[in-house]
């Protein structure tokens, strides 16, 4: 065959190169504190979601080793057949207690949690209401469900209310990031819940970036909004991932007992996937202890956030680069053009600083940015070094 579509791929890749959209992976090893060895070179990293600096903590490593000794390294099956270990069962109880909700279900990954639970909750004839800045896995889960999807402009509660009012679907599901992953801003949870209450809807909150960081003892965005314990609304289904602040891998969903039992029965990505290995559940129980008791990690992180914001606001005041209105560990610096964002990223890299540039389609056209992620593993001197480097690059770009 001379003319086949399989020959299109090299040209498609070239097009990615021309538009500065080709992504490349680095080979990365932890290198102490917030440093990473990147393709062999030690870099100060502002690019990972290990917000509390727990991913290399000796307690977690030891717990993982103990889990491996007790249960081996693989679970061997779906949780519904033979993959549900005592470590996984204990973790689910600990997670439910920690977030103050009746029951939790532990998944091997966050992405497949959302792509699985949304179709288990809503189907043809139902309606899903989705913030336009939601994470890709919420968007894909909604598409898989075959429900009608109403996208509302980011954080536009009036638009959401109109859409809810106009819908005649019996099952209405509102889906939202609790902390938006590329902007760092938080959803207005009390207002979302009030709308769900009024319109007989269920709220699915994805707290990938709030769990461990926000709320009392790091219990997350829902607890921060006062939804914790016996008074929690049954209209909320709380989802959080465990590969970010918790420092390990996986995710969980928590809420009303019958609702969680339904998800256990009907979520295809739960039923037809091999359970997370017990060693991860063991590490996660150790992580929950540190999240709850190491208050200093959150205090330190919040001091670093304030230091970065004050420093950049001051040093970039004559620049067109814009710091977003975020109070979380995600601090995006809006640059605008793809190539300029790439140039700044390269300039930082030359100085030994690793800050990822985020480009379309991950963010809207014209809003390419540096996504600065802070961690309790950073020191004040690390933050100052980043501020100085950005101030120098901003002067050079004018
Ligand atoms: C990272 C992330 C996920 C995916 O979780 P994984 O465990 O990495 O698969 C889901 N939702 C949001 C908002 C995220 O940032």
């Amino acid at each position: 065959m001379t003319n086949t579509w399989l020959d299109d791929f090299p040209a498609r890749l070239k097009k990615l190169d021309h538009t500065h959209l080709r992504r490349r992976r680095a080979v990365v090893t932890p290198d102490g504190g917030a440093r990473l060895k990147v393709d062999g070179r030690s870099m100060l990293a502002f690019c990972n979601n290990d917000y509390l600096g727990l991913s290399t903590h000796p307690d977690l490593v030891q717990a993982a080793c103990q889990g491996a000794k007790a249960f081996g390294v693989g679970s061997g099956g779906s949780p519904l057949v033979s993959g549900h270990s005592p470590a996984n069962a204990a973790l689910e109880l600990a997670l439910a207690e920690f977030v103050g909700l009746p029951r939790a279900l532990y998944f091997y990954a966050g992405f497949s949690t959302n792509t699985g639970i949304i179709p288990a909750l809503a189907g043809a004839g139902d309606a899903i209401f989705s913030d336009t800045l939601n994470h890709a896995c919420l968007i894909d889960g909604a598409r898989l469900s075959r429900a009608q999807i109403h996208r509302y402009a980011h954080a536009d509660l009036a638009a959401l209310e109109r859409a809810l009012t106009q819908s005649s679907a019996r099952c209405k599901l509102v889906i939202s990031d609790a902390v938006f992953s590329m902007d760092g801003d938080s959803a207005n949870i009390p207002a979302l819940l009030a709308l769900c209450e009024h319109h007989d809807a269920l709220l699915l909150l994805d707290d990938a970036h709030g769990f461990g960081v926000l709320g009392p003892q790091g219990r997350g965005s829902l607890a921060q909004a006062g939804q914790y314990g016996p008074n929690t609304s049954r209209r909320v289904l709380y989802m959080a991932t465990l590969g970010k602040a918790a420092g390990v891998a996986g995710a969980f969903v928590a809420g009303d007992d019958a609702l969680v039992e339904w998800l256990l029965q009907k979520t295809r990505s739960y039923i037809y996937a091999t359970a997370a290995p017990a060693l991860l559940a063991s590490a996660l129980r150790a992580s929950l202890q540190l999240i709850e008791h190491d208050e200093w990690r959150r205090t330190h992180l919040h001091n670093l956030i304030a230091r970065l914001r004050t420093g950049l606001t001051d040093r970039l005041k004559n620049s067109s680069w814009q710091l977003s209105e975020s109070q979380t560990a995600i601090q995006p610096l809006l640059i605008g053009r793809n190539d300029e964002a790439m140039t700044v990223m390269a300039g930082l890299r030359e100085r030994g600083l690793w800050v990822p540039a985020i480009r379309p389609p991950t963010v809207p056209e014209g809003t390419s940015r540096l996504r600065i992620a802070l961690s309790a593993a950073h020191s004040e001197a690390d933050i100052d070094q980043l501020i100085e480097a950005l101030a120098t690059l901003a002067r050079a770009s004018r």
Side-chain angles (χ1 to χ4, degrees), residues 49 108-112 114 135 137 177 179 181 206 208-209 239 241-244 249-251:
N49 303 313
Y108 59 92
F111 199 101
S112 52
N114 283 336
H135 190 269
C137 59
D177 282 19
V179 173
S181 52
D206 177 341
H209 302 278
M239 178 273 183
T241 68
L242 300 167
K244 289 168 179 151

Side-chain angles (χ1 to χ4, degrees), residues 30-324:
D31 197 29
R35 302 194 74 83
L36 296 174
K37 198 161 265 174
V38 187
D39 293 329
R41 177 179 171 212
S42 182
M43 304 276 285
L44 180 56
F46 293 91
C47 53
N48 70 40
N49 303 313
D50 183 14
Y51 300 125
L52 298 178
L54 293 178
S55 69
T56 54
H57 195 288
D59 287 9
L60 274 67
V61 174
Q62 195 192 358
C65 292
Q66 281 167 353
K69 283 200 180 111
F71 304 106
V73 293
S75 72
S78 157
L80 289 162
V81 183
S82 58
H84 192 53
S85 75
N88 294 39
L91 175 64
E92 288 186 341
L93 294 177
L95 286 167
E97 194 192 330
F98 186 66
V99 296
L101 294 168
R103 188 169 171 196
L105 193 62
Y106 166 51
F107 283 72
Y108 59 92
F111 199 101
S112 52
T113 302
N114 283 336
T115 57
I117 63 177
I118 295 172
L121 292 166
D126 299 332
I128 292 176
F129 304 83
S130 177
D131 188 294
T132 47
L133 291 192
N134 276 343
H135 190 269
C137 59
L138 287 169
I139 296 169
D140 289 3
R143 286 178 181 152
L144 273 175
S145 75
R146 299 192 180 89
Q148 187 167 26
I149 302 167
H150 305 270
R151 296 168 82 239
Y152 58 93
H154 176 51
D156 187 343
L157 295 171
L160 171 59
E161 179 162 31
R162 278 194 302 279
L164 283 165
T165 305
Q166 282 161 13
S167 171
S168 57
R170 178 171 148 77
C171 301
K172 301 187 189 78
L173 177 65
V174 176
I175 59 180
S176 181
D177 282 19
V179 173
F180 289 87
S181 52
M182 293 302 139
D183 290 63
D185 59 327
S186 295
N188 184 342
I189 295 174
L192 286 172
L193 265 178
L195 283 177
C196 287
E197 196 66 56
H198 191 253
H199 292 277
D200 192 19
L202 175 69
L203 175 64
L204 169 60
L205 273 184
D206 177 341
D207 200 23
H209 302 278
F211 181 78
V213 177
L214 301 177
Q217 293 89 43
R219 293 175 202 275
S221 297
L222 195 57
Q224 179 173 257
Q227 296 285 328
Y228 175 85
N231 299 324
T232 310
S233 165
R234 56 190 283 250
R235 295 202 170 271
V236 67
L237 194 57
Y238 179 78
M239 178 273 183
T241 68
L242 300 167
K244 289 168 179 151
V248 187
F252 69 99
V253 54
D256 176 74
D257 205 5
L259 207 49
V260 173
E261 176 64 18
W262 176 255
L263 294 177
L264 168 62
Q265 300 299 326
K266 291 293 174 188
T267 302
R268 291 166 66 85
S269 61
Y270 189 77
I271 300 168
Y272 300 107
T274 303
L279 67 97
L280 299 183
S282 302
L284 281 164
R285 279 160 72 205
S287 174
L288 279 184
Q289 289 297 317
L290 294 172
I291 291 173
E292 183 170 353
H293 298 295
D294 279 5
E295 195 58 43
W296 66 265
R297 291 177 191 275
R298 277 178 293 279
T299 310
H300 178 54
L301 176 60
H302 288 118
N303 288 338
L304 296 178
I305 294 167
R307 190 179 187 91
L308 179 82
R309 291 193 66 82
T310 311
L312 284 185
T313 305
D314 178 42
R315 302 297 305 278
L316 298 182
K317 58 176 176 282
N318 297 319
S319 158
S320 63
W321 302 350
Q322 275 280 319
L323 199 54
S324 300

